[in-house]
Amino acid sequence: METKKKLISDAGVRTDGRRWNELRPIRMEVGQLKNADGSAYIEFGKNKIVAAVYGPKEVHPKHMVLPDRALIRCRYHMAPFSVDERKNPAPSRREIEISKVIREALEPALIAEDYPRAAIEIFVEVLQSDGGSRVAGITASSLALSDAGINMRDLVVGCSSGIVDGQVVLDLNDTEDKEGSGDMPVAFMPNLNQVTLLQVDGIYTPENFRKAFELAITGGRTVYEMQRKALLDKYFGSSPSETPMEAEE
Amino acid sequence: MSAVKKNYVVETLRKAQMVELLAKGKRVDGRSQDEMRALKIETRLIEKANGSAKVSLGNTQVIAGVKVATGTPFADTPDKGVLMVNAEVLPLASPYAEAGPPDENAIELARVVDRGVRESEMVDLSKLVLIAGKSVYTVFVDVNILNVDGNLFDATSYAVVSALRTAKIPKFEADGDKVTNTGKLMPLPVQKTPVSVTMARIGSVIVVDPTAEEEAVMDARITLTTDDDDNICAGQKGEPGTFTPAQVMEAAEKAIRKGRELRSVIKEASG
């Protein structure tokens, strides 16, 4: 509203120097935590997130057991020092909601029927938050799940888009997330072409809604290539493609 | 829990039956894919609340109450009033509901409805400031779910919107750094009417306003909220299922179209 500072310059450059369709620098690494059955670390801009998977394991309490498939649990949590003002470490309503949507974004990819009566637990810890932490968390969790050897139909990759200064842009950073006028996190299974998470806030004309949604999918496909490479690096040394993955447009 | 019973055997059988019916363009209760259940909105029924509304959507019943006071603004929005939506599924609402603090389903419900109200800028929060950074109006909307029969998202959203539209709140005045109640009443600065439309994907068909029976077998859920200008201002996909990108666009189109119809109903009922 009114006299807000501009987040995109007249030349089309964003606060961190990117164009509208560019991702932030991304780095992923698989298998950092030795105790977990699977783990992954992701840096997505200034986001620093670690994801770990335990399972399949016994279900506690027993009455939660599902007779025909695994019980999937997910906890998304932000470290108290991950944001500008110290965050109370107790789970907030936001974190409870995000834990739920992350779980529901990953569950379609898991072949939970292969693990009846078992639990699979996914932990996402945001060490530093920079806008788009849920989608980066999903990308990392999906890597951790495959690192744990859980049977999956596809990887799940997350990417967000949004509206900044009236324009549809890819991958909002912290400032754009807080001061921009809309944020649309999307997660999907790239090979099956199925959307597993969609959240919308902000004001989107029908045309901008379509544009933002398609942009998030396009961005996600780029992230997917890096995600795939991170897995190949872990299990086959360096991956076949030798060009280093850059956050490209 | 979700207050909807999920039974694996019955669920599978029911789903097969529903998918078969849907292929013929029918639903179990005789509605078409894009048809809402009967919507009834009553407002101003709780005298002690500043605003209230009871919504029946088929057999789903919810009641929303608005309570307004003064308090300190959030640190990151010192020049805006505070508005918060809370929801609770009462233990009397379903044989499967349990007493206790809101679980993840109730939290998601409240946050999705809150997002629709907030992002559409339904209430002009900048007009609810008494002393910038120090004292603002705090608007709490609490929703009690009285009977669960599916689509709590829309019933809650319509109740919250109707209660806010009809609220008469105490007028406060700031004198220096003292805030006093003038004893007069005023309406909330309402500028938009957000309308949420919740849809369920069952097999390859997307139906609006799912009943509890349909929710028990649905693959995935999506809620999209539109404002008076057909903008989409909030959305949430739910449940561990998926949508194809084309289905997301189909849902957006339905949300806009149904939103227009419902907006006039809500506006009339809470005029």
Side-chain angles (χ1 to χ4, degrees):
Chain A
M1 276 200 283
E2 298 98 341
T3 50
K4 265 192 186 166
K5 72 170 182 234
K6 283 182 73 148
L7 297 170
I8 302 180
S9 77
D10 294 331
V13 179
R14 293 157 70 179
T15 53
D16 51 13
R18 288 180 293 154
R19 299 266 157 190
W20 67 278
N21 59 351
E22 279 179 295
L23 291 165
R24 289 170 287 180
I26 300 167
R27 189 168 81 81
M28 300 178 209
E29 208 176 303
V30 177
Q32 279 205 333
L33 303 179
K34 296 306 167 202
N35 280 350
D37 294 305
S39 64
Y41 172 74
I42 188 168
E43 286 183 7
F44 206 114
K46 292 196 183 82
N47 281 301
K48 295 180 200 298
I49 300 168
V50 59
V53 168
Y54 282 84
K57 56 184 276 195
E58 225 178 316
V59 176
H60 290 294
K62 285 275 185 229
H63 70 88
M64 305 273 298
V65 159
L66 300 176
D68 60 336
R69 60 198 156 100
L71 174 73
I72 316 292
R73 289 199 173 107
C74 177
R75 177 181 122 124
Y76 162 99
H77 184 251
M78 292 174 83
F81 48 77
S82 63
V83 278
D84 294 334
E85 293 268 313
R86 178 178 182 268
K87 188 206 150 281
N88 183 330
S92 64
R93 287 162 62 89
R94 174 180 171 276
E95 285 167 296
I96 293 170
E97 185 203 345
I98 292 180
S99 298
K100 181 175 190 286
V101 297
I102 292 181
R103 189 186 73 226
E104 292 172 346
L106 295 166
E107 215 170 325
L110 301 177
I111 308 182
E113 309 86 274
D114 286 353
Y115 313 98
R117 309 187 64 79
I120 295 170
E121 292 177 340
I122 303 154
F123 299 99
V124 180
E125 186 69 24
V126 180
L127 304 174
Q128 182 164 276
S129 147
D130 182 32
S133 67
R134 83 196 65 183
V135 284
I138 288 170
T139 304
S141 305
S142 172
L143 281 175
L145 284 161
S146 25
D147 185 39
I150 307 288
N151 296 349
M152 291 167 81
R153 297 180 173 87
D154 197 351
L155 285 173
V156 181
V157 65
C159 190
S160 81
S161 60
I163 307 260
V164 172
D165 286 357
Q167 281 184 53
V168 173
V169 299
L170 182 63
D171 183 27
L172 273 57
N173 65 32
D174 213 16
T175 316
E176 293 171 331
D177 188 20
K178 292 195 176 107
E179 296 172 31
S181 49
D183 172 29
M184 186 189 289
V186 177
F188 61 103
M189 294 189 278
N191 296 292
L192 298 174
N193 201 32
Q194 293 282 339
V195 177
T196 66
L197 173 135
L198 172 67
Q199 293 185 291
V200 187
D201 67 40
I203 297 197
Y204 299 78
T205 61
E207 181 51 29
N208 277 345
F209 180 80
R210 171 185 296 275
K211 259 194 185 161
F213 178 67
E214 284 170 359
L215 184 62
I217 299 263
T218 312
R221 292 201 180 274
T222 307
V223 180
Y224 170 65
E225 290 307 322
M226 299 179 221
Q227 197 186 21
R228 214 173 146 262
K229 180 174 181 292
L231 263 185
L232 289 171
D233 279 349
K234 162 83 192 288
Y235 287 99
F236 301 101
S238 64
S239 68
S241 87
E242 51 188 57
T243 44
M245 272 299 177
E246 287 273 301
E248 42 103 63
E249 54 184 64
Chain B
M1 290 300 293
S2 64
V4 174
K5 176 79 171 169
K6 296 218 173 189
N7 178 310
Y8 303 101
V9 179
V10 178
E11 188 181 316
T12 314
L13 293 173
R14 279 260 174 81
K15 186 169 175 182
Q17 183 202 12
M18 273 191 206
V19 168
E20 213 171 285
L21 267 175
L22 284 168
K24 294 182 216 150
K26 285 184 198 152
R27 288 166 82 172
V28 190
D29 57 5
R31 283 183 293 158
S32 70
Q33 289 173 24
D34 289 358
E35 199 177 334
M36 304 284 293
R37 289 170 289 175
L39 169 64
K40 197 173 134 203
I41 302 174
E42 297 162 77
T43 58
R44 301 188 182 97
L45 33 84
I46 307 291
E47 288 86 352
K48 294 207 171 175
N50 301 112
S52 59
K54 185 177 171 210
V55 165
S56 308
L57 191 55
N59 288 327
T60 289
Q61 282 184 48
V62 312
I63 185 163
V66 178
K67 282 288 204 183
V68 175
T70 59
T72 50
F74 293 123
D76 54 347
T77 50
D79 50 355
K80 282 186 174 169
V82 169
L83 182 127
M84 236 171 97
V85 178
N86 238 300
E88 195 178 337
V89 180
L90 299 178
L92 57 71
S94 147
Y96 313 110
E98 281 169 28
D103 68 358
E104 58 171 26
N105 296 298
I107 289 173
E108 183 189 26
L109 170 64
R111 286 181 57 88
V112 171
V113 171
D114 186 286
R115 211 171 290 154
V117 171
R118 191 176 303 279
E119 296 299 329
S120 66
E121 295 178 355
M122 175 187 177
V123 178
D124 187 353
L125 296 177
S126 63
K127 292 201 176 124
L128 294 179
V129 179
L130 293 159
I131 307 166
K134 289 219 173 90
S135 182
V136 297
Y137 286 90
T138 57
V139 182
F140 285 91
V141 192
D142 288 281
V143 183
N144 276 353
I145 312 296
L146 299 173
N147 199 64
V148 174
D149 188 17
N151 199 4
L152 298 182
F153 284 83
D154 291 348
T156 301
S157 172
Y158 306 157
V160 168
V161 168
S162 303
L164 287 171
R165 280 175 55 86
T166 51
K168 292 276 183 291
I169 68 165
K171 190 171 166 50
F172 291 92
E173 260 172 14
D175 180 17
D177 55 2
K178 234 180 86 200
V179 169
T180 48
N181 189 338
T182 60
K184 291 182 194 139
L185 293 174
M186 65 174 201
L188 278 166
V190 170
Q191 42 188 11
K192 289 272 166 62
T193 307
V195 176
S196 85
V197 176
T198 296
M199 293 151 276
R201 177 174 73 78
I202 304 172
S204 58
V205 178
I206 295 176
V207 298
V208 302
D209 183 27
T211 60
E213 200 181 3
E214 288 170 321
E215 285 185 352
V217 308
M218 69 184 166
D219 295 286
R221 186 194 72 227
I222 190 166
T223 301
L224 290 168
T225 305
T226 55
D227 70 9
D228 307 54
D229 306 314
D230 289 347
N231 294 312
I232 293 174
C233 51
Q236 178 105 332
K237 175 247 155 193
E239 294 296 303
T242 63
F243 289 93
T244 62
Q247 285 166 339
V248 170
M249 289 304 148
E250 182 190 338
E253 183 274 321
K254 276 187 207 245
I256 293 170
R257 184 161 42 83
K258 294 305 288 182
R260 281 184 211 144
E261 286 170 31
L262 288 157
R263 185 167 296 104
S264 55
V265 175
I266 293 169
K267 276 184 154 171
E268 191 168 333
S270 57

